[in-house]
Amino acid sequence: SILSTMGNACLSTVESYSMYYEGRCTYTDFLTRLDLEIQREAPDCPWGAVAELRLLLNGTVTPGVVPSEDEAKSHIEDACQAALDAQPQFGWGDVTKKAARGEPLFDSIYYDGGSIWNEQYETLKDNRVPYVDGKPANVLKHDGSRIDDVYEAYAQEGKIEYADSVVDNFA
């Protein structure tokens, strides 16, 4: 293999480095980030991200052997999946919390399009009991605050269990 004559990986001489990126963990995205890391930490490296990855993985698939590109890709895809699997998951029942509050069918009705979250709109009309002049009814900022809470605290960075674990609308 030509890689065996190339020597050590360029990044193997760097004391430490970390790679961070946003989005899904994919082989292609990993190579893009690795290429940026090579440019930043080892700008004189004579080869690209694929060769560097294979050299960095030297001996991890088969002892003493530089893995093929397919083996390196499989290794990264497995590592990405393991990282996703290890990430904590927010249970769907905790998204609306309606079942725990005495409304066990809320999630099913929501996905059928007939819940208060589907039909409610904020208004200054006289449709609250008791009616307070000049005060809005159905204040969505308050009534739908759980949606924003879940988004801010969990959905931006983490996983949320699929709703089909609680409702049968997707069967």
Side-chain angles (χ1 to χ4, degrees):
S1 161
I2 191 155
L3 285 179
S4 61
T5 64
M6 294 168 77
N8 292 330
C10 296
L11 293 176
S12 67
T13 61
V14 176
E15 186 176 319
S16 70
Y17 62 92
S18 298
M19 292 187 356
Y20 300 96
Y21 59 93
E22 293 181 349
R24 294 195 51 87
C25 182
T26 66
Y27 177 68
T28 303
D29 290 342
F30 183 87
L31 288 180
T32 300
R33 278 300 295 133
L34 183 59
D35 193 48
L36 290 172
E37 195 66 25
I38 293 168
Q39 291 172 28
R40 187 171 69 93
E41 295 291 340
D44 295 331
C45 186
W47 48 79
V50 173
E52 181 70 6
L53 174 62
R54 291 177 63 200
L55 289 169
L56 286 169
L57 293 175
N58 187 6
T60 60
V61 177
T62 304
V65 177
V66 175
S68 68
E69 184 175 354
D70 286 341
E71 290 170 326
K73 180 178 181 181
S74 178
H75 181 86
I76 296 303
E77 289 172 344
D78 291 347
C80 287
Q81 187 62 49
L84 181 63
D85 292 345
Q87 187 180 33
Q89 179 170 285
F90 192 64
W92 181 259
D94 292 326
V95 171
T96 65
K97 289 196 171 185
K98 294 289 188 175
R101 295 180 180 149
E103 297 180 59
L105 297 178
F106 178 85
D107 295 311
S108 289
I109 294 168
Y110 170 76
Y111 278 103
D112 285 340
S115 78
I116 195 168
W117 282 9
N118 300 97
E119 299 173 358
Q120 189 178 48
Y121 56 92
E122 192 167 323
T123 179
L124 290 174
K125 298 289 184 192
D126 183 8
N127 62 354
R128 353 177 337 165
V129 178
Y131 179 68
V132 179
D133 192 28
K135 297 285 184 181
N138 303 327
V139 180
L140 299 180
K141 181 177 180 180
H142 303 296
D143 296 346
S145 66
R146 181 77 187 143
I147 298 166
D148 189 51
D149 292 346
V150 170
Y151 175 74
E152 293 289 333
Y154 302 101
Q156 285 185 323
E157 300 291 329
K159 296 188 307 188
I160 295 179
E161 179 181 39
Y162 285 114
D164 64 356
S165 64
V166 176
V167 298
D168 61 2
N169 297 47
F170 306 106

